[in-house]
Amino acid sequence: MAAKRTVVLAVLAGALFLTVSAPATDFPDPAGSGSGVAAPTVRTDTGLVRGRATAAHTVFRGIPYAGPPKGAYRWAAPRPVRPWSGVRDATEPGPLCPQTASAYTDVSSQEEDCLVLDVTARAPASTGRPAPVLVWIHGDGAVGGGAFFDARRLADRGVVVVTINYRLGVFGGFAYPGLQGSGTFALQDQQAALRWVRRNAAAFGGDPGNVTVAGSSFGAAAISGHLTSPGARGLFHRAVLASGEGMMDMPAGAMGEGVPAYPHYTWRTERESRETGLGMTSALGCAGPDPQQALRCLRALPVRKLLEVPGIMNAFQAFAYGNDVLPELPEEALREGRFTRVPVMTGATADEHRLFVGMAHDAIGSPFTADRYERALATAFGSDADTVAARYPVTAFPSPALAWATVVTDRMWARGTHAQATALGHRTPTYAYEFADKDAPMYLPLPGAFDFGAYHAGDTPYVFEDPDAQKHFTGAQRRLSDTMTDYWAHFARTGSPDRPGLPRWPRFEPADAVPHTQSLAPDRIGPVDYAKEHRLGFWLRLAGQAASPAPQPAEGKEPAS
C-alpha cells in the first residue's frame, strides 16, 4: 500500500474531531524478492498464515480475529472466525472497515468483513525468549485502520506489535431500542482482538502474559473505557494513553462555532445514543413502531446507503455507557478508583488545540480575528469571559488564533489530561509526559501558513515509522524519536519507561508539590511543571475547585484489580 497520511475533519454529536494517523508503508525487501529470506508461516488457533520477511522483521497482515459483522451480524457482538484449511496468505493489508473519503483524504471502504489485524515482529532470534506485546488501537474517529501504522521501529526494540481494525462510526457505535450492545460494538471488537492476542501471541514470539494496550486520541479514549470494562479484565497488563479524552469535558464553542458544551467529550449515556439512532432511522427509510422490524430493515441496507446519510458516521463516535460493556461512566470510575490496576503512561502534546484551530481558520485562509476571539470567550465562559481574557490577553500572543488555541489547550486538554494522571496516579504506577517538539513536521495540504507547534497526534510519527515525517527530522528530532521509542519499548517490557541510559523518568505522584511530568522535546528531556505551564490553578479556581486528597472508593464498591 502506498504511503498515505490520513487527516479527518469530522462532526461528533455536533463536536469537531480532527486527528492525524501515521501512514501505511510498504515493507521493503519481502520474502521472494531475491533476499533469500524464507516466507514465515505461523499456526494460529484458526489456521496457518504466511507472512513476509526481511533480514530484520517478520510481518503478517490482514489476519481475521473475528467473523464478518455482516447481514444479521451487523451491530452484534463479534463472533468467532471460521477456521480455514491450507495456508492463508497474510502478505497484504486486509480491507479497511467502512468509511468515507473527505476533503483531506481519499481513503474509503464499503467492506464490512474488516475485523483483521497485523503483526510485526523482529526477525526470529536464537534465544527464543518471549517478547512483550503491544496492541495499538488507532484514533482518527470515523476513519483509519491498523494497516496505516508501521511498527518496525518498535519491533527493532524487541516488541511484538499488533495493529487492529475495528468497526467505525455508525457501524461501531450505533444504538437502538432493544439492540443488545448498543453504542459499544467498537469496544467489543477491540476486546475480541485482545482475546485473539491472548490465544495467539506465543505463536508470533510474543508473551501473552505481558500485553500493553496503547492508543492515541480516540484510541486512547477507548482504553480509558477498557480500564473500567469488566470484559477487558485480564486482557492487558499495561496501558499507554496518548492525548486521551477519557476525563475531558467540552466548553461551548471549543470545537467550533455553534457546538454546545458537553460534560463528557467521549461518553454518552445509552439512552442518548439510542435517541441518536432513532433520529437517524427515518433518514434511512426504516422508521416504524416495531424496533425489531426496523433493525431488520437497517441490517438489510447496503453499506453505501448508510454512508450516504450526511453526518451518520460521525454521529456515533462516542461510546455509550450504562450497559454490560461499560456499566458506569468511565470518568467517574477512574476518579473513584474502580478500574483495572495496571501501570500506565499518560500524556498529551503541548499545543493540542492548535491543530483544530489552524485547520478551521488561519491555515485555510479564514483568519481567527480578535473580534472572533472575544466572541469565543463569551460563548465558552459567559460571565467569566473577561477574567479569562485578562489571563490570556490577545496582545500576548502572535495571533488571536494562537490565543484561542492556548485557552482551549489549557482549559480542556491539559485539565483533562492532568485529571486523568491524578486519578490513575493515586492507585497505580503512572508515568506522565508532555510531547513538546514545537517544530514537529506537519504535512497537511493547506493553503495558509500557521504555527501548529506540538500539535495533537504530532507525536505518533516519533514512535511509528513515517517516512513523510522522518525525512524532515533534524538530528535532534531523530534522537528524540529514538528516545521516545526506547521509552515505549521499555515500558512494554517492564511497566516503567525509566531505563538506564535514558533521561530519568520518575513516577507521577499526585501528593508531590509538583508531580513529575516528563517533557519530551528535541533540545530537552526532563521534568516540567505541567500544572503551572498550562495555568491549571487558574482554571481550578475559576471552576471553584481545589486540589483534593487521594479519593476513596465509594462505599460498597470495591476497586477492580
Side-chain angles (χ1 to χ4, degrees), residues 473-514:
F473 277 178
T474 64
Q477 287 174 320
R478 283 191 294 272
R479 290 190 293 273
L480 174 62
S481 176
D482 286 339
T483 299
M484 289 173 59
T485 311
D486 287 340
Y487 278 140
W488 277 54
H490 195 64
F491 179 79
R493 184 169 291 106
T494 69
S496 168
D498 196 29
R499 195 201 77 178
L502 297 178
R504 186 168 179 267
W505 188 340
R507 282 171 57 166
F508 181 95
E509 299 286 1
D512 289 350
V514 181

Side-chain angles (χ1 to χ4, degrees), residues 63-69 78-82 113-116 189 192-193 196:
I63 303 173
Y65 67 83
R79 57 197 175 105
V81 174
R82 180 177 297 176
D113 187 2
C114 63
L115 299 184
V116 300
D189 291 347
W196 183 96

Side-chain angles (χ1 to χ4, degrees), residues 146-170:
F148 289 125
F149 296 87
D150 179 347
R152 285 175 293 162
R153 299 186 73 250
L154 281 165
D156 287 339
R157 288 155 171 83
V159 179
V160 174
V161 183
V162 180
T163 62
I164 69 172
N165 286 0
Y166 57 90
R167 282 173 282 184
L168 305 170
V170 67

Side-chain angles (χ1 to χ4, degrees), residues 235-465:
L235 296 181
F236 59 93
H237 311 92
R238 325 190 189 296
V240 179
L241 308 175
S243 297
E245 304 108 347
M247 295 186 71
M248 196 166 82
D249 68 342
M250 184 168 61
M255 300 305 292
E257 291 186 21
V259 179
Y262 199 80
H264 315 297
Y265 193 70
T266 301
W267 319 110
R268 299 293 182 269
T269 66
E270 188 171 311
R271 178 179 178 179
E272 288 173 308
S273 298
R274 288 197 304 265
E275 289 174 351
T276 302
L278 284 167
M280 291 292 182
T281 305
S282 296
L284 291 164
C286 289
D290 182 352
Q292 293 305 312
Q293 183 176 347
L295 281 171
R296 286 193 293 271
C297 174
L298 290 166
R299 283 172 167 148
L301 292 174
V303 170
R304 174 182 54 81
K305 293 293 292 184
L306 288 166
L307 296 178
E308 285 175 351
V309 177
I312 195 169
M313 283 296 286
N314 306 308
F316 294 96
Q317 287 186 55
F319 302 115
Y321 68 92
N323 48 60
D324 291 341
V325 177
L326 293 179
E328 61 180 315
L329 175 64
E331 178 179 341
E332 181 177 308
L334 291 174
R335 183 175 290 112
E336 297 184 6
R338 296 187 295 275
F339 63 87
T340 300
R341 309 296 173 79
V342 297
V344 176
M345 278 175 54
T346 178
T349 68
D351 304 305
E352 288 279 357
H353 210 66
R354 288 195 190 187
L355 181 64
F356 300 84
V357 175
M359 281 288 295
H361 297 287
D362 293 45
I364 60 170
S366 178
F368 193 93
T369 64
D371 286 343
R372 181 171 281 177
Y373 179 58
E374 184 177 346
R375 293 196 304 272
L377 292 177
T379 298
F381 307 113
S383 61
D384 291 323
D386 288 344
T387 303
V388 177
R391 192 68 179 85
Y392 296 81
V394 69
T395 54
F397 296 88
S399 71
L402 291 180
W404 177 238
T406 304
V407 167
V408 182
T409 293
D410 292 355
R411 163 60 183 80
M412 190 170 80
W413 293 92
R415 197 175 83 157
T417 298
H418 194 264
Q420 183 163 265
T422 300
L424 294 166
H426 277 307
R427 294 181 172 87
T428 197
T430 299
Y431 298 87
Y433 73 87
E434 178 177 67
F435 176 75
D437 185 355
K438 297 289 188 175
D439 297 309
M442 166 63 70
Y443 303 100
L444 306 184
L446 303 170
F450 187 71
D451 180 6
F452 285 99
Y455 60 92
H456 179 70
D459 49 344
T460 303
Y462 287 68
V463 178
F464 289 89
E465 286 279 353

